[in-house]
Amino acid sequence: MDARTAELLGSALSASGPIVFLTGAGVSAESGIPTFRGAEGYWRVGSTNYRAEELATYEAFSRMPEEVWAWYLYRRGVCRAARPNAAHLALVDIERSLEARFLLVTQNVDGLHLRAGSSPERTYQIHGNIDFMRCEDEHPRVRPIPESIPFDWPKAHALGDVERAALRGCARGAWARPHVLFFDESYDEALFRFESTLRAMKEAAALVVVGTSGATTLPAHAVDLAVRRRIPLVVINQDQSPFTEAAGRSPAGHVLLGTAGQHLPPIASFLRGAR
Ligand code: APR
């Protein structure tokens, strides 16, 4: 790990407040899950090609629930077949070192942080989790997708009667929906920890951003708060992004170009040593 990262993390350790790690699809790329805006982020329905940003919407789900569910069930299978990688494991190690000062805010719906061993209490899944569904009730209960639906869902495979019955379990036979934040929806506290994330960022001693392109609003707020509060901001990414630019502008910012699997393990051993 370079001297600047050590200096920034060292100063965060001697301050108070949470040390927040914000992750995106880049952290799971090394587990073989395609990133959202990479080459595989499209899906064909009939003769139309949709981009993820068009299909992961409440508008698309209301118009063609079966097709959107088939896409989610396929992606859920891809996530389930993937294994946590060195970056996920490093974050588990970091939580062990930082204990109550650790907070993980993830945009990933693949559940790999939890499967690696990050604790549910300190992991905010701000875009949901693809293994779960919920009804559109006033007080929605989040529950696992029923076991009758197989994990190895083939690409472009249509729903059958078993799946239809399992997924139409809401009041008056209404469809349950994937427990994710669609592109045309807003964050909230009850389901996605919106206020808790902002509160943590207002108190944070440092923010470490890993593998995200900076295209969604809550992460953008978090990075903006880090810059305005001049707290240490370390951005790990394979490519340039609005977040690497923000770190370049911030007096306490630093960019580590490269992969999550390359940069997180040395940070984990530094923090273990500092305990
Ligand atoms: N290590 C570090 N960074 C990586 C790696 C890697 N191994 N592989 C890819 N990256 C970087 C890419 O360069 C890109 O900047 O990770 C970023 C992934 O960006 P996106 O695919 O846009 O994913 P993300 O930022 O998580 O998307 C945010 O938008 O699509 C919605 O809700 C969805 O949670 C998602 C959100």
Side-chain angles (χ1 to χ4, degrees):
M1 198 180 69
D2 65 355
R4 179 67 174 149
T5 309
E7 182 197 345
L8 290 171
L9 292 177
S11 85
L13 286 173
S14 47
S16 61
I19 298 182
V20 181
F21 288 77
L22 167 65
T23 64
V27 166
S28 293
E30 288 160 86
S31 293
I33 299 178
T35 57
F36 241 84
R37 291 170 182 79
E40 288 199 52
Y42 68 88
W43 189 253
R44 201 173 176 84
V45 176
S47 56
T48 312
N49 262 330
Y50 288 90
R51 280 178 297 114
E53 294 93 316
E54 297 171 297
L55 217 47
T57 61
Y58 192 73
E59 186 278 321
F61 178 68
S62 332
R63 196 159 41 83
M64 40 182 192
E66 299 213 4
E67 288 78 5
V68 171
W69 258 121
W71 181 54
Y72 272 94
L73 293 175
Y74 167 70
R75 289 177 50 219
R76 165 181 175 255
V78 171
C79 295
R80 188 42 80 121
R83 296 277 162 268
N85 65 52
H88 298 105
L89 298 174
L91 283 161
V92 177
D93 193 358
I94 292 170
E95 176 169 7
R96 238 174 256 138
S97 298
L98 296 178
E99 299 176 328
R101 290 192 67 193
F102 177 82
L103 180 64
L104 175 56
V105 175
T106 186
Q107 299 166 83
N108 299 340
V109 298
D110 54 43
L112 282 175
H113 285 303
L114 297 180
R115 280 170 54 203
S118 290
S119 74
E121 307 77 59
R122 297 197 192 104
T123 304
Y124 294 174
Q125 300 179 107
I126 61 168
H127 292 169
N129 185 315
I130 204 160
D131 283 324
F132 292 80
M133 64 182 207
R134 62 180 204 265
C135 297
E136 293 281 13
D137 300 341
E138 201 181 334
H139 301 291
R141 189 166 56 87
V142 175
R143 49 198 162 122
I145 290 175
E147 280 171 16
S148 56
I149 302 184
F151 281 111
D152 53 344
W153 193 269
K155 209 167 190 168
H157 182 62
L159 303 192
D161 289 343
V162 172
E163 291 82 29
R164 250 177 240 120
L167 297 172
R168 299 196 72 156
C170 300
R172 294 176 294 283
W175 287 97
R177 53 165 290 166
H179 175 51
V180 297
L181 182 70
F182 286 137
F183 278 97
D184 51 355
E185 295 180 310
S186 316
Y187 290 101
D188 71 3
E189 174 62 18
L191 295 170
F192 302 111
R193 311 304 301 266
F194 179 67
E195 275 97 20
S196 299
T197 301
L198 289 181
R199 196 176 325 117
M201 280 312 303
K202 286 176 187 152
E203 296 164 358
L207 174 64
V208 181
V209 180
V210 197
T212 170
S213 67
T216 51
T217 59
L218 182 52
H221 278 314
V223 170
D224 194 46
L225 276 166
V227 173
R228 279 198 277 147
R229 294 186 53 234
R230 296 167 167 255
I231 57 169
L233 167 63
V234 177
V235 175
I236 300 170
N237 215 61
Q238 216 171 250
D239 310 294
Q240 301 291 345
S241 75
F243 292 161
T244 59
E245 280 163 34
R249 279 197 312 275
S250 172
H254 186 48
V255 176
L256 294 171
L257 272 188
T259 67
Q262 176 189 349
H263 288 298
L264 279 175
I267 291 180
S269 35
F270 171 80
L271 293 172
R272 208 183 314 125
R275 265 219 305 194

